[in-house]
Amino acid sequence: MFLNELYHSLNPVAFSLGPLSVHWYGIAYLAGFALAAWVIWRVSRRWELDLTADDIMSIVIGVAFGVIIGARLFYVLFYGAGYYLEHPLEIFALNQGGMSFHGGLVGAVVGGSIVCRTYHISIPTVCDLGVIGAPWGLFFGRCANFVNGELWGKETSLPWGVMFPTGGNVYRHPSQLYEAVLEGLVIFCVLFALSRRRPARPQGTFMGVFLVLYGVFRFLVEFVRVPDAQLGYLFGPITMGQCLSLPLVVLGVVVLVLSRRLNRPQVGHL
């Protein structure tokens, strides 16, 4: 179990400065947003959009706030199972974990849209640019989940199984790394390859592909991932994560169909 040895050599705390401890989870968020901003800048240059570095920085900051607020609110509403009604102050305890990708996606769209409206920038184009860079945030976030020993999978006898401290005395699927590869690396490679065509593909193409791929990958990985303890399985083998992912696939197909029919070019400022 080579991966098990690697896991037990890792520490969730990256480094400490006196009483301040910096966790890999926080570094993962920072790295994800920074790399996403770089990808957006690179792709916008290739598409010859009139977006400045200040425009992109403002968009990324708006998206960052939206992701954090949306991810936390969705977790509280859909995964809290009534706990936060009894402990409302715990809603603000972000250091204890509890973030939902689906809420982060909604928050990112809302936060980015507010900035785009303020600076008169095309929202559909920014959505397409954003999802090309977003997989890096997913990749680093899932790797941080692995280091933290959370969101692990079901029991396995495969040679890369990991024995997590909170998962009992059994080897489990490192489902965090499955998601890091599929939701992060694979989706990025697909979208970045599509982005290299000039002129750029129509508005909505990249958002549609992202939604379909993420929804499918998340739905599949959920079969080997143990659901949140407070929720368990909703019905049969179906989890909350799968119920929230199926609508993404449907929405992604709709966006792709509309993108093809409308065939609107990518633009920067309106």
Side-chain angles (χ1 to χ4, degrees):
M1 298 294 184
F2 66 94
L3 196 58
N4 184 63
E5 296 180 8
L6 172 63
Y7 167 74
H8 286 285
S9 69
L10 301 174
N11 189 333
V13 178
F15 60 89
S16 297
L17 296 173
L20 176 65
S21 295
V22 179
H23 291 247
W24 285 112
Y25 200 75
I27 294 177
Y29 264 82
L30 181 61
F33 285 123
L35 196 50
W38 179 79
V39 171
I40 291 172
W41 170 255
R42 280 288 304 273
V43 176
S44 68
R45 295 300 92 192
R46 173 172 290 276
W47 291 356
E48 299 180 347
L49 303 178
D50 59 343
L51 297 178
T52 67
D54 287 340
D55 290 332
I56 293 175
M57 184 59 66
S58 297
I59 292 169
V60 171
I61 291 174
V63 168
F65 276 103
V67 166
I68 294 172
I69 295 172
R72 185 58 172 173
L73 286 179
F74 261 60
Y75 183 85
V76 169
L77 293 174
F78 292 99
Y79 292 91
Y83 173 81
Y84 294 99
L85 290 177
E86 300 177 3
H87 308 85
L89 293 181
E90 293 293 314
I91 295 175
F92 304 99
L94 299 181
N95 62 314
Q96 298 180 13
M99 306 289 272
S100 164
F101 162 80
H102 304 86
L105 177 62
V106 173
V109 173
V110 173
S113 296
I114 292 174
V115 175
C116 288
R117 284 186 173 277
T118 301
Y119 292 96
H120 305 289
I121 299 172
S122 171
I123 294 175
T125 290
V126 167
C127 286
D128 277 345
L129 289 171
V131 296
I132 298 173
W136 283 112
L138 293 173
F139 173 76
F140 288 124
R142 293 308 183 190
C143 288
N145 290 148
F146 175 74
V147 174
N148 288 348
E150 58 192 7
L151 306 180
W152 27 258
K154 298 177 181 178
E155 295 182 31
T156 182
S157 59
L158 294 172
W160 54 80
V162 177
M163 190 177 294
F164 296 99
T166 57
N169 193 33
V170 296
Y171 289 100
R172 297 183 175 277
H173 283 285
S175 54
Q176 314 96 321
L177 299 185
Y178 299 168
E179 291 184 272
V181 172
L182 294 173
E183 301 168 4
L185 299 183
V186 173
I187 293 182
F188 171 74
C189 288
V190 171
L191 294 179
F192 191 72
L194 291 175
S195 74
R196 296 185 64 80
R197 195 186 81 171
R198 297 174 63 182
R201 298 172 191 273
Q203 288 183 340
T205 301
F206 300 88
M207 175 62 89
V209 172
F210 175 84
L211 291 173
V212 170
L213 290 181
Y214 179 87
V216 170
F217 289 155
R218 177 66 182 271
F219 189 89
L220 293 176
V221 173
E222 285 284 322
F223 283 116
V224 296
R225 174 177 160 178
V226 175
D228 293 69
Q230 70 273 23
L231 293 180
Y233 293 98
L234 299 186
F235 48 92
I238 303 302
T239 66
M240 176 63 78
Q242 289 173 314
C243 288
L244 293 176
S245 295
L246 281 179
L248 294 185
V249 177
V250 176
L251 179 59
V253 172
V254 172
V255 171
L256 284 172
V257 171
L258 290 176
S259 171
R260 186 176 181 83
R261 290 184 177 179
L262 296 176
N263 197 32
R264 292 175 176 169
Q266 302 287 357
V267 296
H269 285 272
L270 300 174

